Amino acid sequence: MVDVAHVIPRSPDDPPPPPPWWRRPRVMRPLAGGLAVAAVVGGGLWAWQPWRSLEIAQSACWSALSRDDLKPLAGRYGKVYETVPRARIQTPTAPDEPGIRSTDCRVVWNPDDGSGGFLLEAQVAPAWDGVDADRARDTGQHHAVVDLDFGPGAVGLAGGDPDHPVRLYVRCDFQVPTADKPDRKAPPYVRVEVGGEPVDGVSPAKARQAYADAALKIARVAAAEYQCTNQVQLPAAAPAVPELPKEKADG
């Protein structure tokens, strides 16, 4: 037991007692620093989420597109791949080889939560209806359409329908089978159409620019497959796609 009679009261001149060990500066500074680092690292891991990665195919659409062409359209994580890869583009005069050739390409984005869709869809075919007919069809459906300057050897259109397609018409002299329709003539253009479903975080404008870049690369492959007898003229890079009138008004 404490002898109360022998407890000496503290003098006002005595120095203050030391704080408990857990409140001493040499302990608090490292402790606070450790907590701060843990918070930063933990927050960084949550933002980065290393357990969620993005896997993109190295090539797609008749090997015309690379991983860098698909990346601007993808989400932050998941898998990007072509559904049914084909090595070559199907043309009117090429052998019908479904396992090797196709007229369309579909690239899927499949995130971890299963909410993906068609990141990019491309189609290559003769422009049977012509450029003016396609433009009139779009405007008749109240879709905004702008012309894209791909130079003298091609015509470009950017449309504002839900898939935000870009159409590139390449001037190409090619042959068509005439056995069943001897009077049928090939149209002056091969049409490359590229569109898709922009994912969250990818604006329609950014997606449409990626479609224009992809259309130009696919057009180079298509011109070789169609064996155009004329000198195909395509620019080194796709033009900048302007805002569509509806998008500018809504913005």
Side-chain angles (χ1 to χ4, degrees):
M1 295 182 62
V2 178
D3 187 353
V4 179
H6 290 85
V7 174
I8 301 174
R10 177 178 298 276
S11 170
D13 297 330
D14 292 342
W21 67 269
W22 62 85
R23 297 185 61 185
R24 296 175 188 175
R26 291 183 180 179
V27 175
M28 290 299 293
R29 279 196 292 267
L31 180 60
L35 292 175
V37 170
V40 170
V41 172
L45 287 175
W46 180 253
W48 175 35
Q49 296 182 347
W51 56 91
R52 286 184 166 182
S53 61
L54 179 62
E55 179 184 348
I56 304 180
Q58 293 299 317
S59 65
C61 298
W62 311 286
S63 298
L65 306 182
S66 68
R67 184 180 187 275
D68 291 338
D69 298 316
L70 301 175
K71 190 173 182 179
L73 298 168
R76 291 176 296 175
Y77 57 88
K79 186 176 182 180
V80 175
Y81 60 95
E82 186 176 355
T83 55
V84 185
R86 293 289 183 263
R88 305 186 65 178
I89 295 174
Q90 182 69 53
T91 68
T93 56
D96 186 12
E97 300 172 301
I100 300 175
R101 304 174 188 269
S102 67
T103 59
D104 61 299
C105 161
R106 289 184 172 183
V107 179
V108 170
W109 173 58
N110 185 17
D112 299 342
D113 58 9
S115 62
F118 288 117
L119 195 76
L120 181 144
E121 295 184 80
Q123 185 181 59
V124 180
W128 295 111
D129 296 335
V131 180
D132 293 337
D134 287 350
R135 183 188 288 108
R137 181 170 57 250
D138 282 348
T139 55
Q141 295 174 351
H142 305 289
H143 295 150
V145 178
V146 295
D147 292 334
L148 302 177
D149 185 6
F150 279 90
V155 176
L157 298 177
D161 68 12
D163 290 336
H164 312 286
V166 169
R167 298 186 184 96
L168 177 55
Y169 301 81
V170 182
R171 183 70 179 83
C172 176
D173 295 334
F174 62 96
Q175 301 295 319
V176 296
T178 57
D180 54 343
K181 296 180 180 179
D183 296 332
R184 191 180 196 186
K185 295 182 179 181
Y189 292 99
V190 172
R191 184 181 72 179
V192 178
E193 181 171 335
V194 181
E197 303 172 356
V199 303
D200 292 342
V202 179
S203 68
K206 180 180 179 181
R208 195 176 291 112
Q209 184 64 56
Y211 298 153
D213 297 337
L216 179 58
K217 292 191 173 184
I218 294 173
R220 299 188 193 282
V221 177
E225 289 287 356
Y226 271 77
Q227 300 180 356
C228 308
T229 57
N230 61 306
Q231 183 66 37
V232 175
Q233 300 180 57
L234 290 171
V241 181
E243 293 180 285
L244 269 66
K246 184 177 185 299
E247 291 177 344
K248 187 177 295 186
D250 291 346

